């Protein structure tokens, strides 16, 4: 199914060039469908963009972003690359993003099986450690029901300044630790 677009964010370092191609090659080896886009940020003027665009994966794209700094006059901050890079890609991608499923990976990941919008074929492969019955957990993506992998931060983000991050009155400001761990960790 070609209705999936996999994206990941990197800088221009040789190390992340290597990671990008390892990810792309593993996608090719498992028969991953759809497009893969590498979002590249913080590049020097003499970066080898032609080399970055070469890949073993046939539907591979590279999207170059500007350097990101939210505060004028402040130093570059690398952790802005992923959220602002993805935002820049969605707003400026050529061709425009038209797939109904977008998968956000890290560059150090590799594929061991294809990612499918309708989930894995063998549901025994779903690792779930929450409080719901495993039969109630779905790995199929549909509108209003994103799918994600547990992240080591857990519910720690509940202690962040959510009014500042999400905006006053945002639903994210009322999420409890239990709900965060079950649905957003």
């Amino acid at each position: 199914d070609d209705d999936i677009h996999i994206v990941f964010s990197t800088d221009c370092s040789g190390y992340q060039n290597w990671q990008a191609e390892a990810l792309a090659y593993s996608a090719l080896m498992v028969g991953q469908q759809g497009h893969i886009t590498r979002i590249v940020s913080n590049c020097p003027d003499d970066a080898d963009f032609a080399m970055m665009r070469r890949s073993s994966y046939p539907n591979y794209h590279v999207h170059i972003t500007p350097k990101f700094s939210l505060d004028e006059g402040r130093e570059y901050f690398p952790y802005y690359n992923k959220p602002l890079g993805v935002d820049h890609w969605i707003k400026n991608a050529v061709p425009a993003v038209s797939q109904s499923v977008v998968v956000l990976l890290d560059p150090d990941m590799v594929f061991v099986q294809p990612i499918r919008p309708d989930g894995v074929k063998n549901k025994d492969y779903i690792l779930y450690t929450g409080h719901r019955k495993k039969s109630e957990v779905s790995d199929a993506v549909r509108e209003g029901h994103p799918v994600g992998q547990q992240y080591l931060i857990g519910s720690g983000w509940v202690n962040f300044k959510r009014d500042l991050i999400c905006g006053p009155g945002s639903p994210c400001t009322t999420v409890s630790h239990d709900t965060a761990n079950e649905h957003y960790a």
Side-chain angles (χ1 to χ4, degrees):
D1 188 43
D2 199 33
D3 194 28
I4 187 168
H5 202 128
I6 296 160
V7 296
F8 61 99
S9 175
T10 72
D11 62 22
C12 286
S13 68
Y15 180 68
Q16 292 207 317
N17 290 337
W18 176 85
Q19 286 182 323
E21 185 50 27
L23 183 150
Y25 183 73
S26 70
L28 180 69
M29 290 297 96
V30 300
Q32 179 62 49
Q33 299 294 305
H35 295 261
I36 295 179
T37 295
R38 175 184 178 183
I39 300 170
V40 185
S41 303
N42 194 33
C43 296
D45 292 337
D46 64 346
D48 187 352
F49 296 115
M51 184 274 306
M52 287 182 214
R53 286 186 170 92
R54 287 193 297 268
S55 177
S56 56
Y57 193 81
N59 292 322
Y60 188 81
H61 314 277
V62 174
H63 180 80
I64 310 298
T65 72
K67 289 185 180 182
F68 294 114
S69 174
L70 289 182
D71 305 312
E72 285 299 317
R74 293 239 175 144
E75 262 182 54
Y76 163 76
F77 186 62
Y79 302 105
Y80 290 152
N81 285 351
K82 185 183 280 185
L84 297 180
V86 170
D87 181 63
H88 188 274
W89 169 69
I90 288 171
K91 292 175 179 172
N92 300 284
V94 177
V97 181
S98 61
Q99 293 78 16
S100 63
V101 175
V102 174
V103 178
L104 179 60
L105 300 180
D106 283 332
D108 60 352
M109 295 179 167
V110 293
F111 287 81
V112 294
Q113 66 180 2
I115 296 174
R116 301 164 38 102
D118 60 346
V120 296
K121 291 180 183 176
N122 184 343
K123 300 302 181 191
D124 290 333
Y125 290 145
I126 298 174
L127 175 62
Y128 172 70
T129 58
H131 301 293
R132 293 175 285 163
K133 293 178 184 174
K134 190 172 181 179
S135 62
E136 297 171 353
V137 176
S138 174
D139 67 332
V141 176
R142 62 188 190 281
E143 189 171 342
H145 295 274
V147 174
Q149 175 179 311
Q150 188 172 14
Y151 188 62
L152 293 178
I153 196 170
S155 65
W157 63 270
V158 171
N159 298 323
F160 296 170
K161 296 179 181 178
R162 293 183 280 163
D163 277 340
L164 178 65
I165 296 168
C166 306
S170 168
C172 98
T173 63
T174 61
V175 174
S176 70
H177 279 277
D178 285 342
T179 300
N181 274 323
E182 183 67 20
H183 299 283
Y184 306 111

